[in-house]
Amino acid sequence: MTTPRIEDYALISDLETAAMVSRHGSIDWLCLPRFDSPACLAALLGTPEHGFWRVAPVGRGACNRRAYRPDTLVLDSVWESEQGAVRVTDFMPPRTQWPCVVRVIEGLSGAVPMRSELRLRFHHGRVVPWIRGVGACTVAVAGPDAVWLDVDEPAPVSDREDATVVDFTVRAGRRLALTLVWSPSHRAAPPEPLSVPAETALKQTADFWRNWAAQCRYRGPWREAVVRSLITLKALTYAPTGGIVAAPTTSLPERIGGTGNWDHRYCWLRDSSLTLSCLLRSGYRGEAAAWLGWLVRAVAGDPADLQTVYGVQGQRLLPETEAPWLPGYEGSRPVRFGNSATGQFQLDVYGEVVDALWLSLRAGIAIPAHVWELVEILMGFLQRHWQEPDQGLWQVRGGRRQFVHSKVMAWLAADRALRMGVLLGRNGSSGGWRAMRREVHREVCREGWDPVRRSFVQSYGSSALDASALLIPRLGFLPPGDERVRGTVRAMERLRHGGFVRRYTPDGDGDDAEGAFVSCSLWYADALAATGRTGEAREAFERVLGIRNDVGLLAEQWDPGTGRQLGNAPQAFSHLALVKTAFALSPAPHPAPRTGPAPGRP
């Protein structure tokens, strides 16, 4: 079987981890018990020998069709042949204690021979477990991990040395369920979820997602896409802490066969204010408050130690290692676990944090009393260090530069801190912050503007373009009608690639092969709309909607040349940007989040 494309995968999640299910009915990626735990099914980054669980008709390839049940994360895949038709329904019940994957097989017509083949490989596809029968279940054990498999109807189960195989025939009207549960290996008894009937778990899971999706306040023309993106964001949320991972996968390549393969199973501060804004505007105040709680806990400490990325529980140490035993997705090596971006210096994250705190305060979300002290500490650090070079939004690995976007975000931090001070009646530091805001603004307009290109550029003294400059009007740094904003939007035509937008000007070191960034293409649509080019903005947005996969998911990048998704998937940043753009382009009014009194301009 050839390696499925990235867009051939659908997502299921229990709000603490996730599985990637291919059109062939194979779960090729599953980390247990958390998003950032070692994978026990890792064929996505290797071969079937590295772990998979396939449930499909014998001898058949990809399903004929599949879809999520409306407003849920319950996936139906249907195979049709001369022998008959069968549906496999995949879902993960929201976590109560242990993670659980349920696969329900239902005969629709005829009689279809089926096979379930479960090949578990713990520690990222490296360790073959010990497999044995315990009562009616099969359990695979290696080190701290145990995975239990239960079949709810009599069926021949073959426990081989390296896999568990179940062969059965499903006839019209017959239903059979396979349930997989992880638990710590020191527990001798089968875990509790195995005692819950699959039909009960299915109904509870579908009801949970439908009730959650019904809270969405978007009523514009792209409601289906917005709801699917919001469900995806919820699915990427680590419920115990409120943290949202950038993606559930690692090392899916930015370029097929390339080395730009990063671990995205962590939480980026870069996403902070956009996440809060999207959740609040969509009506999900509880999720917004949970994200804020994660954020405040994660950044506690010395502002000099503020990181770009943290673990789902706020962990700071995410050591980056390589896995030489995994050949990588379509040969894209190395495969990496962990992320060394924790050690990078990025000025923009200070602006993200302060903006997120401001958005929360304005929306009426209760924030801890010590948050104002946090703002003062962050601003004190920024006042001393904003003129230093950093590694920028895109986490450039190499020398630091004076990135324009980083300076704009330093301006944003000062602006939002001043606004918070007005709301809270805390203006003791306003004079220094106001002076900093003014100085940063003047410097960016002087050093970050290229009079030849008639555009803001990537860094001081550079002629390279960077799509992050499209955020300038959204952030309020300059109004949309300013000719410098209009010139920048026009200049970004040079970053377009097959109708989509790259991150920045290729530098000749292989970046020319990188795909277009989905989020940048959506920023372009936003900027077009802000500058009055509404028709072009809608076209740009619809173009992005057209590259979602068959179940509505987006990866980090899109390659117009090959028509393929690239990078880790599904990508939270892409879906956040989709929601933001849908609101920006929708003509219908939407209820605004509850806010405090308008602060005016400090």
Side-chain angles (χ1 to χ4, degrees), residues 41-77:
L41 303 176
L44 178 65
L45 299 178
T47 70
E49 290 301 317
H50 296 105
F52 71 96
W53 183 18
R54 185 167 191 245
V55 176
V58 175
R60 294 294 306 279
C63 63
N64 296 88
R65 64 181 186 276
R66 65 177 181 171
Y68 288 117
R69 296 189 181 181
D71 292 350
T72 76
L73 205 65
V74 175
L75 178 70
D76 287 326
S77 303

Side-chain angles (χ1 to χ4, degrees), residues 185-485:
S185 60
H186 63 266
R187 291 176 56 91
E192 199 171 284
L194 292 177
S195 64
V196 178
E199 290 303 312
T200 300
L202 175 57
K203 183 180 185 307
Q204 291 174 343
T205 303
D207 287 347
F208 168 85
W209 286 108
R210 290 193 183 105
N211 291 336
W212 189 86
Q215 300 172 50
C216 176
R217 292 165 28 168
Y218 177 83
R219 296 293 183 269
W222 300 292
R223 180 172 170 80
E224 180 276 329
V226 168
V227 169
R228 180 51 53 196
S229 288
L230 289 168
I231 287 175
T232 303
L233 294 171
K234 178 69 170 175
L236 299 179
T237 301
Y238 184 67
T241 65
I244 300 176
V245 297
T249 58
T250 177
S251 299
L252 292 181
E254 297 175 352
R255 176 170 59 87
I256 300 298
T259 60
N261 318 315
W262 314 111
D263 194 345
H264 281 186
R265 299 171 301 150
Y266 307 111
C267 308
W268 263 257
L269 294 192
R270 170 200 66 185
D271 303 349
S272 299
S273 60
L274 180 58
T275 300
L276 268 165
S277 176
C278 285
L279 291 173
L280 288 170
R281 194 162 189 188
S282 301
Y284 293 101
R285 292 178 59 85
E287 284 72 12
W291 170 253
L292 176 68
W294 174 88
L295 177 66
V296 171
R297 293 189 300 272
V299 304
D302 189 337
D305 297 330
L306 199 65
Q307 297 183 177
T308 62
V309 56
Y310 294 82
V312 293
Q313 293 181 316
Q315 314 98 291
R316 290 174 174 263
L317 295 178
L318 308 174
E320 187 174 300
T321 60
E322 297 181 2
W325 63 90
L326 287 170
Y329 179 84
E330 293 193 20
S332 304
R333 304 179 73 176
V335 171
R336 294 182 174 93
F337 299 109
N339 202 301
S340 64
T342 55
Q344 292 188 345
F345 175 53
Q346 284 184 234
L347 275 170
D348 63 290
V349 299
Y350 294 86
E352 285 284 351
V353 171
V354 179
D355 191 34
L357 297 174
W358 153 247
L359 285 170
S360 301
L361 181 64
R362 189 181 66 172
I365 292 178
I367 59 176
H370 67 272
V371 164
W372 179 250
E373 180 181 351
L374 172 64
V375 172
E376 290 184 313
I377 293 172
L378 293 175
M379 287 305 304
F381 179 85
L382 261 186
Q383 285 178 284
R384 297 189 299 273
H385 297 281
W386 72 265
Q387 292 175 310
E388 296 178 12
D390 74 325
Q391 286 161 305
L393 170 69
W394 306 123
Q395 299 172 195
V396 175
R397 298 197 176 198
R400 296 181 180 182
R401 307 178 208 169
Q402 299 284 5
F403 285 102
V404 170
H405 177 72
S406 297
K407 307 305 183 189
V408 170
M409 294 302 291
W411 172 91
L412 185 75
D415 183 77
R416 299 318 192 242
L418 286 164
R419 294 176 183 273
M420 288 185 71
V422 171
L423 277 186
L424 296 172
R426 307 287 290 271
N427 296 311
S429 303
S430 60
W433 297 350
R434 190 173 288 108
M436 174 189 159
R437 183 178 65 177
R438 183 169 55 249
E439 186 179 355
V440 176
H441 198 281
R442 287 174 178 171
E443 182 179 287
V444 169
C445 291
R446 182 180 66 249
E447 303 294 338
W449 173 258
D450 185 335
V452 177
R453 286 185 177 266
R454 304 294 300 168
S455 173
F456 285 100
V457 289
Q458 184 178 61
S459 59
Y460 293 176
S462 167
S463 62
L465 298 174
D466 193 304
S468 60
L470 291 165
L471 298 174
I472 284 175
R474 177 196 288 183
L475 299 172
F477 185 83
L478 287 173
D482 190 290
E483 187 52 42
R484 289 166 293 184
V485 170

